[in-house]
Short mmCIF file of all heavy atoms in Angstrom, two decimals:
data_model
loop_
_atom_site.label_atom_id
_atom_site.label_comp_id
_atom_site.label_asym_id
_atom_site.label_seq_id
_atom_site.Cartn_x
_atom_site.Cartn_y
_atom_site.Cartn_z
N GLY A 1 -8.61 -6.23 1.09
CA GLY A 1 -7.67 -6.02 0.00
C GLY A 1 -6.77 -4.83 0.24
O GLY A 1 -5.56 -4.88 -0.03
N ALA A 2 -7.34 -3.74 0.78
CA ALA A 2 -6.52 -2.57 1.10
C ALA A 2 -5.51 -2.89 2.19
O ALA A 2 -4.35 -2.47 2.13
CB ALA A 2 -7.43 -1.41 1.52
N SER A 3 -5.94 -3.62 3.22
CA SER A 3 -5.01 -4.01 4.29
C SER A 3 -3.88 -4.87 3.75
O SER A 3 -2.71 -4.69 4.12
CB SER A 3 -5.77 -4.77 5.38
OG SER A 3 -6.81 -3.99 5.92
N LEU A 4 -4.20 -5.80 2.86
CA LEU A 4 -3.16 -6.65 2.28
C LEU A 4 -2.21 -5.83 1.42
O LEU A 4 -0.99 -6.05 1.45
CB LEU A 4 -3.80 -7.76 1.44
CG LEU A 4 -2.83 -8.73 0.77
CD1 LEU A 4 -1.95 -9.42 1.81
CD2 LEU A 4 -3.59 -9.76 -0.06
N GLY A 5 -2.74 -4.88 0.66
CA GLY A 5 -1.88 -4.02 -0.14
C GLY A 5 -0.91 -3.23 0.71
O GLY A 5 0.29 -3.12 0.39
N VAL A 6 -1.40 -2.69 1.82
CA VAL A 6 -0.52 -1.95 2.73
C VAL A 6 0.50 -2.88 3.37
O VAL A 6 1.68 -2.54 3.49
CB VAL A 6 -1.37 -1.23 3.81
CG1 VAL A 6 -0.48 -0.67 4.91
CG2 VAL A 6 -2.19 -0.13 3.18
N GLY A 7 0.05 -4.07 3.79
CA GLY A 7 0.97 -5.02 4.41
C GLY A 7 2.08 -5.46 3.46
O GLY A 7 3.26 -5.53 3.84
N VAL A 8 1.73 -5.74 2.21
CA VAL A 8 2.74 -6.14 1.23
C VAL A 8 3.69 -4.99 0.95
O VAL A 8 4.93 -5.18 0.86
CB VAL A 8 2.05 -6.60 -0.07
CG1 VAL A 8 3.07 -6.81 -1.19
CG2 VAL A 8 1.28 -7.89 0.18
N TYR A 9 3.16 -3.78 0.82
CA TYR A 9 4.01 -2.62 0.56
C TYR A 9 5.01 -2.40 1.70
O TYR A 9 6.21 -2.20 1.48
CB TYR A 9 3.14 -1.38 0.38
CG TYR A 9 3.93 -0.09 0.26
CD1 TYR A 9 4.50 0.28 -0.95
CD2 TYR A 9 4.09 0.75 1.35
CE1 TYR A 9 5.23 1.44 -1.06
CE2 TYR A 9 4.82 1.92 1.25
CZ TYR A 9 5.38 2.26 0.04
OH TYR A 9 6.11 3.41 -0.06
N LEU A 10 4.52 -2.46 2.93
CA LEU A 10 5.40 -2.24 4.07
C LEU A 10 6.41 -3.38 4.23
O LEU A 10 7.55 -3.15 4.63
CB LEU A 10 4.58 -2.09 5.34
CG LEU A 10 3.76 -0.81 5.46
CD1 LEU A 10 2.90 -0.83 6.72
CD2 LEU A 10 4.66 0.42 5.47
N SER A 11 6.00 -4.62 3.93
CA SER A 11 6.93 -5.73 4.03
C SER A 11 8.04 -5.61 3.00
O SER A 11 9.20 -5.98 3.26
CB SER A 11 6.20 -7.05 3.88
OG SER A 11 5.63 -7.17 2.58
N LEU A 12 7.72 -5.08 1.82
CA LEU A 12 8.74 -4.89 0.79
C LEU A 12 9.74 -3.82 1.17
O LEU A 12 10.94 -3.93 0.88
CB LEU A 12 8.09 -4.55 -0.56
CG LEU A 12 7.29 -5.67 -1.23
CD1 LEU A 12 6.62 -5.15 -2.50
CD2 LEU A 12 8.17 -6.86 -1.53
N TRP A 13 9.24 -2.76 1.84
CA TRP A 13 10.12 -1.66 2.23
C TRP A 13 10.57 -1.78 3.68
O TRP A 13 11.19 -0.87 4.21
CB TRP A 13 9.42 -0.32 2.02
CG TRP A 13 9.21 -0.02 0.58
CD1 TRP A 13 8.04 -0.13 -0.12
CD2 TRP A 13 10.18 0.42 -0.37
NE1 TRP A 13 8.23 0.20 -1.43
CE2 TRP A 13 9.53 0.55 -1.62
CE3 TRP A 13 11.54 0.72 -0.28
CZ2 TRP A 13 10.20 0.96 -2.76
CZ3 TRP A 13 12.21 1.12 -1.42
CH2 TRP A 13 11.53 1.24 -2.65
N GLY A 14 10.22 -2.88 4.33
CA GLY A 14 10.72 -3.14 5.67
C GLY A 14 10.13 -2.27 6.76
O GLY A 14 10.69 -2.17 7.85
N GLY A 15 8.98 -1.63 6.50
CA GLY A 15 8.38 -0.77 7.52
C GLY A 15 9.24 0.41 7.87
O GLY A 15 9.19 0.93 8.99
N SER A 16 10.06 0.87 6.93
CA SER A 16 10.98 1.96 7.19
C SER A 16 10.23 3.28 7.35
O SER A 16 9.07 3.41 6.99
CB SER A 16 11.99 2.08 6.05
OG SER A 16 11.31 2.39 4.83
N ALA A 17 10.94 4.26 7.90
CA ALA A 17 10.32 5.57 8.08
C ALA A 17 9.95 6.18 6.72
O ALA A 17 8.93 6.84 6.57
CB ALA A 17 11.27 6.50 8.83
N TRP A 18 10.79 5.91 5.69
CA TRP A 18 10.48 6.42 4.37
C TRP A 18 9.17 5.84 3.85
O TRP A 18 8.35 6.53 3.26
CB TRP A 18 11.61 6.08 3.41
CG TRP A 18 11.35 6.61 2.04
CD1 TRP A 18 11.67 7.83 1.54
CD2 TRP A 18 10.68 5.91 0.96
NE1 TRP A 18 11.26 7.94 0.22
CE2 TRP A 18 10.64 6.78 -0.14
CE3 TRP A 18 10.11 4.64 0.85
CZ2 TRP A 18 10.07 6.43 -1.36
CZ3 TRP A 18 9.53 4.28 -0.36
CH2 TRP A 18 9.52 5.16 -1.45
N ALA A 19 8.98 4.55 4.09
CA ALA A 19 7.76 3.90 3.61
C ALA A 19 6.52 4.45 4.29
O ALA A 19 5.49 4.66 3.66
CB ALA A 19 7.85 2.39 3.84
N VAL A 20 6.62 4.70 5.60
CA VAL A 20 5.49 5.26 6.33
C VAL A 20 5.20 6.68 5.87
O VAL A 20 4.06 7.07 5.64
CB VAL A 20 5.75 5.21 7.84
CG1 VAL A 20 4.61 5.86 8.60
CG2 VAL A 20 5.93 3.77 8.30
N ASN A 21 6.25 7.49 5.71
CA ASN A 21 6.06 8.86 5.25
C ASN A 21 5.53 8.93 3.83
O ASN A 21 4.97 9.93 3.41
CB ASN A 21 7.37 9.64 5.35
CG ASN A 21 7.80 9.88 6.79
OD1 ASN A 21 6.95 9.93 7.68
ND2 ASN A 21 9.08 10.00 7.03
N ALA A 22 5.72 7.86 3.07
CA ALA A 22 5.23 7.84 1.70
C ALA A 22 3.71 7.87 1.63
O ALA A 22 3.14 8.05 0.56
CB ALA A 22 5.76 6.62 0.96
N TRP A 23 3.03 7.67 2.77
CA TRP A 23 1.57 7.80 2.80
C TRP A 23 1.15 9.18 2.31
O TRP A 23 0.07 9.38 1.77
CB TRP A 23 1.07 7.55 4.21
CG TRP A 23 -0.39 7.21 4.27
CD1 TRP A 23 -1.31 7.29 3.27
CD2 TRP A 23 -1.11 6.73 5.41
NE1 TRP A 23 -2.55 6.89 3.70
CE2 TRP A 23 -2.45 6.55 5.02
CE3 TRP A 23 -0.75 6.43 6.72
CZ2 TRP A 23 -3.42 6.09 5.89
CZ3 TRP A 23 -1.72 5.98 7.58
CH2 TRP A 23 -3.03 5.81 7.17
N LEU A 24 2.04 10.17 2.50
CA LEU A 24 1.75 11.50 2.03
C LEU A 24 1.75 11.56 0.51
O LEU A 24 1.20 12.48 -0.07
CB LEU A 24 2.78 12.49 2.59
CG LEU A 24 2.81 12.61 4.12
CD1 LEU A 24 3.99 13.47 4.54
CD2 LEU A 24 1.52 13.21 4.64
N GLY A 25 2.40 10.62 -0.15
CA GLY A 25 2.45 10.61 -1.60
C GLY A 25 1.68 9.45 -2.18
O GLY A 25 0.50 9.27 -1.93
N LEU A 26 2.38 8.63 -2.95
CA LEU A 26 1.73 7.53 -3.64
C LEU A 26 2.03 6.18 -3.02
O LEU A 26 1.62 5.16 -3.57
CB LEU A 26 2.16 7.52 -5.12
CG LEU A 26 1.78 8.74 -5.93
CD1 LEU A 26 2.34 8.61 -7.34
CD2 LEU A 26 0.27 8.92 -5.97
N GLY A 27 2.73 6.13 -1.87
CA GLY A 27 3.15 4.87 -1.29
C GLY A 27 2.01 4.06 -0.74
O GLY A 27 1.40 3.24 -1.42
N LEU A 28 1.69 4.26 0.52
CA LEU A 28 0.61 3.51 1.15
C LEU A 28 -0.74 3.80 0.50
O LEU A 28 -1.60 2.93 0.42
CB LEU A 28 0.56 3.82 2.64
CG LEU A 28 1.76 3.37 3.48
CD1 LEU A 28 1.53 3.73 4.94
CD2 LEU A 28 1.99 1.89 3.33
N THR A 29 -0.92 5.04 0.05
CA THR A 29 -2.19 5.39 -0.60
C THR A 29 -2.41 4.56 -1.85
O THR A 29 -3.48 3.96 -2.05
CB THR A 29 -2.20 6.89 -0.95
OG1 THR A 29 -2.04 7.66 0.24
CG2 THR A 29 -3.49 7.27 -1.64
N GLY A 30 -1.39 4.51 -2.70
CA GLY A 30 -1.52 3.72 -3.92
C GLY A 30 -1.67 2.24 -3.63
O GLY A 30 -2.46 1.54 -4.28
N ALA A 31 -0.89 1.73 -2.65
CA ALA A 31 -0.97 0.30 -2.31
C ALA A 31 -2.36 -0.05 -1.79
O ALA A 31 -2.91 -1.10 -2.14
CB ALA A 31 0.09 -0.04 -1.27
N ALA A 32 -2.93 0.79 -0.94
CA ALA A 32 -4.26 0.52 -0.40
C ALA A 32 -5.32 0.56 -1.49
O ALA A 32 -6.21 -0.29 -1.53
CB ALA A 32 -4.59 1.54 0.70
N PHE A 33 -5.23 1.53 -2.38
CA PHE A 33 -6.24 1.63 -3.44
C PHE A 33 -6.15 0.45 -4.40
O PHE A 33 -7.17 -0.15 -4.76
CB PHE A 33 -6.05 2.94 -4.21
CG PHE A 33 -7.09 3.17 -5.27
CD1 PHE A 33 -8.34 3.63 -4.92
CD2 PHE A 33 -6.81 2.92 -6.59
CE1 PHE A 33 -9.32 3.84 -5.88
CE2 PHE A 33 -7.77 3.12 -7.57
CZ PHE A 33 -9.03 3.58 -7.21
N VAL A 34 -4.93 0.09 -4.79
CA VAL A 34 -4.76 -1.05 -5.70
C VAL A 34 -5.24 -2.34 -5.04
O VAL A 34 -5.92 -3.17 -5.67
CB VAL A 34 -3.29 -1.17 -6.14
CG1 VAL A 34 -3.05 -2.48 -6.89
CG2 VAL A 34 -2.90 0.01 -7.01
N GLY A 35 -4.92 -2.51 -3.76
CA GLY A 35 -5.37 -3.70 -3.05
C GLY A 35 -6.88 -3.78 -2.97
O GLY A 35 -7.48 -4.85 -3.16
N ALA A 36 -7.54 -2.64 -2.70
CA ALA A 36 -9.00 -2.63 -2.62
C ALA A 36 -9.64 -2.96 -3.97
O ALA A 36 -10.59 -3.75 -4.05
CB ALA A 36 -9.48 -1.27 -2.13
N VAL A 37 -9.12 -2.39 -5.04
CA VAL A 37 -9.68 -2.64 -6.38
C VAL A 37 -9.48 -4.10 -6.79
O VAL A 37 -10.39 -4.75 -7.32
CB VAL A 37 -9.06 -1.69 -7.40
CG1 VAL A 37 -9.48 -2.07 -8.81
CG2 VAL A 37 -9.47 -0.25 -7.11
N LEU A 38 -8.28 -4.63 -6.54
CA LEU A 38 -8.01 -6.02 -6.90
C LEU A 38 -8.89 -6.99 -6.11
O LEU A 38 -9.32 -8.03 -6.63
CB LEU A 38 -6.54 -6.35 -6.68
CG LEU A 38 -5.55 -5.68 -7.65
CD1 LEU A 38 -4.12 -6.09 -7.31
CD2 LEU A 38 -5.87 -6.03 -9.10
N ALA A 39 -9.16 -6.67 -4.85
CA ALA A 39 -10.05 -7.52 -4.06
C ALA A 39 -11.46 -7.54 -4.65
O ALA A 39 -12.10 -8.61 -4.72
CB ALA A 39 -10.09 -7.02 -2.62
N VAL A 40 -11.95 -6.40 -5.09
CA VAL A 40 -13.29 -6.36 -5.70
C VAL A 40 -13.29 -7.12 -7.02
O VAL A 40 -14.26 -7.83 -7.34
CB VAL A 40 -13.73 -4.90 -5.91
CG1 VAL A 40 -15.06 -4.85 -6.65
CG2 VAL A 40 -13.86 -4.20 -4.56
N VAL A 41 -12.21 -6.98 -7.80
CA VAL A 41 -12.12 -7.74 -9.05
C VAL A 41 -12.14 -9.24 -8.77
O VAL A 41 -12.82 -10.02 -9.46
CB VAL A 41 -10.83 -7.34 -9.81
CG1 VAL A 41 -10.61 -8.28 -11.01
CG2 VAL A 41 -10.93 -5.90 -10.28
N LEU A 42 -11.41 -9.67 -7.74
CA LEU A 42 -11.42 -11.09 -7.36
C LEU A 42 -12.81 -11.54 -6.95
O LEU A 42 -13.26 -12.65 -7.28
CB LEU A 42 -10.42 -11.32 -6.23
CG LEU A 42 -10.31 -12.76 -5.70
CD1 LEU A 42 -9.91 -13.72 -6.81
CD2 LEU A 42 -9.31 -12.81 -4.54
N THR A 43 -13.53 -10.68 -6.23
CA THR A 43 -14.90 -10.99 -5.85
C THR A 43 -15.79 -11.17 -7.07
O THR A 43 -16.60 -12.10 -7.14
CB THR A 43 -15.47 -9.87 -4.95
OG1 THR A 43 -14.68 -9.76 -3.76
CG2 THR A 43 -16.91 -10.15 -4.58
#
């Protein structure tokens, strides 16, 4: 779920440098956390 969240986030932002640097903030971090939680909820 976390991998899918990161993949969807990067695909939406095109894998840009801004998107990658957003890991320092709420970008990839938030996408990974939301993806992991949603996967557990689906389980």
Side-chain angles (χ1 to χ4, degrees):
S3 301
L4 180 59
V6 170
V8 171
Y9 174 81
L10 290 176
S11 64
L12 291 176
W13 292 103
S16 63
W18 181 88
V20 177
N21 291 333
W23 199 350
L24 298 172
L26 297 177
L28 294 182
T29 300
F33 183 79
V34 170
V37 172
L38 290 179
V40 175
V41 171
L42 179 59
T43 299

